[in-house]
Amino acid sequence: MSDGLKGKRIVNTRASVQARGLDDLLRAHGAIPISYPCLRIVPPDDLAPLDLALRELTAGQFDWLVLASANTVQALRVRLDVLGLSLAAESWRVAAIGPATAAAVHELLGISGVTVPGEYLTEALADHLPLKPGARVFLPASTLAEPLLAERLTARGATVCVVDAYQTVCGDGGGDLAESLRQRRIDALTFTSSSAVRCFVERLKAECASIESVCELCAACIGPRTAATARAAGFRQVIVPDAHTLTGLLQALTDYFSPARQQEIRFDGT
């Protein structure tokens, strides 16, 4: 990567417990990360369904454990510790949406050999999972998770148990983004989920800043669904990396701020 991000002030909207990885990548390439946590991860209101499903998983009553985020893996680790349970994927298999989630499975759950689709997308995870007819799938997720993954797995003949593993609520803390926007000291924003986009808008409005003040800024979104949410919120400069990872997000930002790309933007106004 070039030093095209040197001195650029990039807003990191990830939850505080997740922000470090992206912050480190930005700093390594000369950018200045601005912390503005738009999400906070908390337990669901009712933990009983999750606890029951975890006991059933350890008893071998599922064929697959399907994980769409590292947040879910962390939530499972907490409940397993509380329940005094351990996982050993012998009679069942694990699938993760991408390498970061698979790495969390290995680190936090001690499970290797995780199935990861070639594309790090919900659709790819659902469509390319090697399911047998009638497969039993345990799908823990956020209370705000979209139903697409469960619906596509069900359409393929799986019996899917969807359980709330955590709640995603709007975050707080970080820098005074409204003031930074007034001073025109922000160059771009990053979003790694649709929930982050929605909570960003909600939080910014609560802090008496107009969403119009940021819609002209570059919004770097980790995947197409997040990008669609950003566009629906009014962002006009939306970029999506080819690889839906943090490294890919950084590359997309670097490409965006390259001299050639900036000249193109000034020329055509897009």
Side-chain angles (χ1 to χ4, degrees):
M1 292 184 186
S2 68
D3 62 354
L5 293 183
K6 187 174 182 179
K8 299 298 183 184
R9 299 175 66 85
I10 312 294
V11 176
N12 184 353
T13 61
R14 303 193 89 194
S16 297
V17 295
Q18 299 175 308
R20 182 176 177 179
L22 182 55
D23 282 351
D24 288 347
L25 284 172
L26 289 167
R27 290 192 185 98
H29 290 84
I32 303 169
I34 307 299
S35 173
Y36 192 67
C38 290
L39 301 175
R40 187 162 52 89
I41 309 303
V42 299
D45 292 334
D46 184 5
L47 286 163
L50 177 61
D51 292 351
L52 175 60
L54 285 171
R55 290 190 176 96
E56 292 176 341
L57 179 69
T58 58
Q61 296 183 34
F62 291 103
D63 299 300
W64 283 91
L65 167 62
V66 175
L67 301 162
S69 76
N71 287 333
T72 304
V73 181
Q74 178 63 47
L76 296 190
R77 178 70 273 162
V78 171
R79 290 313 298 170
L80 288 165
D81 288 344
V82 170
L83 297 172
L85 298 174
S86 61
L87 296 183
E90 298 174 356
S91 61
W92 46 275
R93 299 172 65 184
V94 183
I97 197 167
T101 303
V105 171
H106 178 68
E107 178 184 354
L108 298 176
L109 302 182
I111 297 173
S112 302
V114 178
T115 298
V116 179
E119 290 184 279
Y120 310 143
L121 296 169
T122 298
E123 295 89 334
L125 181 58
D127 295 345
H128 299 291
L129 201 66
L131 292 175
K132 293 181 179 179
R136 300 160 300 173
V137 176
F138 173 31
L139 179 59
S142 164
T143 54
L144 295 180
E146 297 180 5
L148 177 63
L149 180 53
E151 289 173 352
R152 292 182 87 132
L153 290 170
T154 300
R156 293 192 58 208
T159 299
V160 184
C161 176
V162 182
V163 176
D164 292 338
Y166 64 95
Q167 294 186 74
T168 304
V169 299
C170 286
D172 51 28
D176 187 344
L177 189 63
E179 180 60 26
S180 294
L181 289 168
R182 282 190 287 270
Q183 296 181 12
R184 298 182 179 275
R185 299 183 65 213
I186 300 297
D187 295 294
L189 305 102
T190 59
F191 297 109
T192 57
S193 70
S194 291
S195 297
V197 177
R198 288 188 285 265
C199 285
F200 173 86
V201 173
E202 182 177 332
R203 183 176 174 188
L204 198 64
K205 288 180 177 179
E207 294 173 4
C208 302
S210 170
I211 186 63
E212 288 300 318
S213 63
V214 297
C215 280
E216 295 300 333
L217 293 175
C218 170
C221 299
I222 203 164
R225 298 183 71 79
T226 302
T229 304
R231 292 189 184 98
F235 287 95
R236 290 179 280 277
Q237 296 283 344
V238 177
I239 60 174
V240 183
D242 293 330
H244 306 139
T245 63
L246 293 184
T247 302
L249 198 66
L250 196 70
Q251 181 64 65
L253 281 165
T254 301
D255 293 344
Y256 177 84
F257 285 111
S258 68
R261 173 60 175 147
Q262 289 302 299
Q263 184 176 8
E264 177 186 323
I265 292 170
R266 286 193 294 271
F267 178 76
D268 66 15
T270 61

